[in-house]
Amino acid sequence: MNQEQTKMSTYQRTALGTAMAGLGMQSCSTMLLSYVLTSIIADFAISSTAGGAISTVTNLGMLAGGIIFGTLADKYGRVKIFAITVAIFSLATGATAFASNIAMVYVLRFLVGVGGGGEYGVIMSIVADAFNEKRRGRVTSFVTIAGQIGSIVAAIAAALIIPAFGWRGLFV
């Protein structure tokens, strides 16, 4: 390949950067739960089974979000739907800090899942549309690597924030 074939257009750089940032933030948001689950169980005086159900609810939301927003992205545009999915998981993540009972946690984590599950399919479609088949595998790998970086950021944030501000501070 010559240099012209490997150079990314502005649109491709924007699509890739946005997709990487989006999945990184979504993975960070999703992983926060694993660092605070025992604190949530203790604060709401629930069983470990009820606490574990929070992850199940989040995954059910991801399933629903993938189905709903994949269809909406094809109909109304991927970029617009991407922005909506990011807003959903971001706002629901932040709102989790203010949950006053476990039912609210379930609802908010379901919404985190809806936004996150919807976002994943949309960003992969954006990237697939932006790159030809010879580069698609490599660039989608970059997006998924950004997701893993988001998980690492969640771990670092948990180590720094939880001791000072507790589990609620981490969600903020």
Side-chain angles (χ1 to χ4, degrees), residues 4-163:
E4 193 61 35
Q5 291 173 316
T6 60
K7 188 175 177 182
M8 280 194 271
S9 70
T10 300
Y11 173 74
Q12 288 174 321
R13 282 192 303 276
T14 301
L16 180 58
T18 302
M20 290 175 70
L23 189 60
M25 290 186 306
Q26 184 268 324
S27 294
C28 181
S29 172
T30 300
M31 285 302 297
L32 294 178
L33 180 64
S34 64
Y35 299 106
V36 300
L37 188 56
T38 56
S39 297
I40 291 173
I41 289 169
D43 275 6
F44 292 120
I46 58 174
S47 69
S48 58
T49 302
I54 301 168
S55 294
T56 301
V57 166
T58 304
N59 284 325
L60 290 171
M62 292 179 106
L63 174 65
I67 293 167
I68 293 165
F69 288 109
T71 303
L72 292 176
D74 287 341
K75 186 171 182 174
Y76 296 108
R78 288 168 179 77
V79 173
K80 182 185 294 184
I81 299 303
F82 169 74
I84 291 169
T85 61
V86 170
I88 291 169
F89 81 72
S90 298
L91 293 171
T93 297
T96 303
F98 304 100
S100 59
N101 58 54
I102 192 61
M104 285 180 71
V105 172
Y106 288 146
V107 169
L108 291 167
R109 291 305 295 183
F110 181 80
L111 291 173
V112 168
V114 167
E119 184 212 23
Y120 185 80
V122 174
I123 62 171
M124 287 307 190
S125 295
I126 289 170
V127 171
D129 288 346
F131 292 90
N132 66 32
E133 66 278 352
K134 291 182 181 180
R135 297 175 76 190
R136 208 170 284 143
R138 185 174 343 135
V139 295
T140 56
S141 293
F142 294 156
V143 175
T144 57
I145 289 167
Q148 298 310 312
I149 292 169
S151 296
I152 294 166
V153 168
I156 294 167
L160 296 174
I161 295 170
I162 293 172

